[in-house]
Amino acid sequence: NAGVMQNPRHLVRRRGQEARLRCSPMKGHSHVYWYRQLPEEGLKFMVYLQKENIIDESGMPKERFSAEFPKEGPSILRIQQVVRGDSAAYFCASSPRPLLNNSPLHFGNGTRLTVT
Amino acid sequence: DQQVKQNSPSLSVQEGRISILNCDYTNSMFDYFLWYKKYPAEGPTFLISISSIKDKNEDGRFTVFLNKSAKHLSLHIVPSQPGDSAVYFCAATFNAGGTSYGKLTFGQGTILTVHP
């Protein structure tokens, strides 16, 4: 898990508020992946971004969720008007280039979002 | 549509014995398979992987076996140690065009407990 930094580690929001989750990739990495783990489930792919571009957002819920990876600064996963079902652990991973089939993803320690 | 399944939610093993964790998949496109280990409140840690061109890959106490005809893989840990107690996830992926190999499909996880 070393290298990919996520903050905050824990985030509590009331229903209807906005949640912003940050991911700083490993140094030199320009590709970021976001995953979500709901309670009692495995991780599920949400979105894949390169600097300033969304490459694949097929796992993102259609509404309220958005992601960005600006030229400068961390990648942000934004959840608007949070609901209790958004409570989950959100993990980020990064890579220096598109992954080959001998390069595993390395994840950060995640942000645990609790919606009250 | 659960494309990767770990049918055993938990496994209990005595220290020094072999732990065998199993995983089944349904998508024939998958050609790269990974095992991750996860402790509470941490991100998944990469353990070992295997490409579909192989049927076995070994790294120290960990060996992964792949049976493509049965669409089945297993992780063997020998000898098991108490520090191996964690949740183990298998994951699978393939080169999905723009997403390369970064879009992993995870199983639900197996909780391994190794008793001293």
Side-chain angles (χ1 to χ4, degrees):
Chain A
N1 297 329
V4 178
M5 302 301 294
Q6 291 188 247
N7 67 82
R9 289 296 308 274
H10 300 276
L11 181 62
V12 179
R13 285 287 178 266
R14 289 201 181 100
R15 277 181 299 169
Q17 290 185 318
E18 178 180 286
R20 282 186 177 236
L21 289 65
R22 294 174 188 77
C23 170
S24 296
M26 291 179 69
K27 188 174 181 180
H29 286 196
S30 58
H31 298 247
V32 163
Y33 312 79
W34 284 93
Y35 282 75
R36 174 167 71 171
Q37 184 185 20
L38 295 169
E40 310 299 323
E41 294 187 14
L43 282 73
K44 286 189 166 48
F45 169 81
M46 298 183 76
V47 62
Y48 166 41
L49 310 105
Q50 292 179 30
K51 283 282 187 182
E52 301 183 274
N53 287 306
I54 296 175
I55 306 303
D56 183 337
E57 56 181 347
S58 58
M60 289 277 270
K62 293 287 184 280
E63 297 176 349
R64 303 185 297 107
F65 284 71
S66 62
E68 62 177 12
F69 189 16
K71 188 175 180 182
E72 302 291 338
S75 175
I76 306 286
L77 180 66
R78 182 181 178 210
I79 312 171
Q80 295 178 289
Q81 300 171 346
V82 295
V83 301
R84 289 223 172 96
D86 297 332
S87 295
Y90 293 82
F91 294 99
C92 170
S94 71
S95 65
R97 64 188 69 81
L99 282 179
L100 303 175
N101 66 348
N102 58 358
S103 304
L105 273 183
H106 295 279
F107 291 87
N109 280 328
T111 293
R112 272 139 195 90
L113 172 65
T114 302
V115 179
T116 62
Chain B
D1 176 24
Q2 192 73 27
Q3 297 185 56
V4 177
K5 287 185 182 178
Q6 294 175 253
N7 291 317
S8 298
S10 62
L11 175 67
S12 184
V13 169
Q14 205 69 30
E15 181 179 7
R17 301 286 194 116
I18 184 171
S19 295
I20 300 176
L21 297 104
N22 294 301
C23 180
D24 297 296
Y25 63 96
T26 57
N27 190 339
S28 302
M29 298 285 290
F30 291 142
D31 62 5
Y32 184 48
F33 304 88
L34 309 92
W35 283 94
Y36 285 85
K37 174 180 175 179
K38 187 179 180 304
Y39 294 115
E42 293 185 11
T45 301
F46 169 71
L47 209 52
I48 192 169
S49 63
I50 188 167
S51 168
S52 60
I53 61 173
K54 296 185 175 180
D55 53 20
K56 176 183 174 181
N57 188 25
E58 196 170 348
D59 184 3
R61 296 185 298 115
F62 302 92
T63 304
V64 55
F65 295 92
L66 175 63
N67 182 334
K68 288 186 289 293
S69 60
K71 293 191 175 68
H72 177 84
L73 64 154
S74 61
L75 174 68
H76 292 210
I77 307 173
V78 181
S80 302
Q81 300 172 354
D84 295 330
S85 298
V87 181
Y88 287 78
F89 291 98
C90 80
T93 184
F94 63 99
N95 189 347
T99 320
S100 66
Y101 282 89
K103 189 173 180 178
L104 302 180
T105 300
F106 281 83
Q108 312 94 306
T110 297
I111 302 170
L112 173 66
T113 305
V114 180
H115 298 283

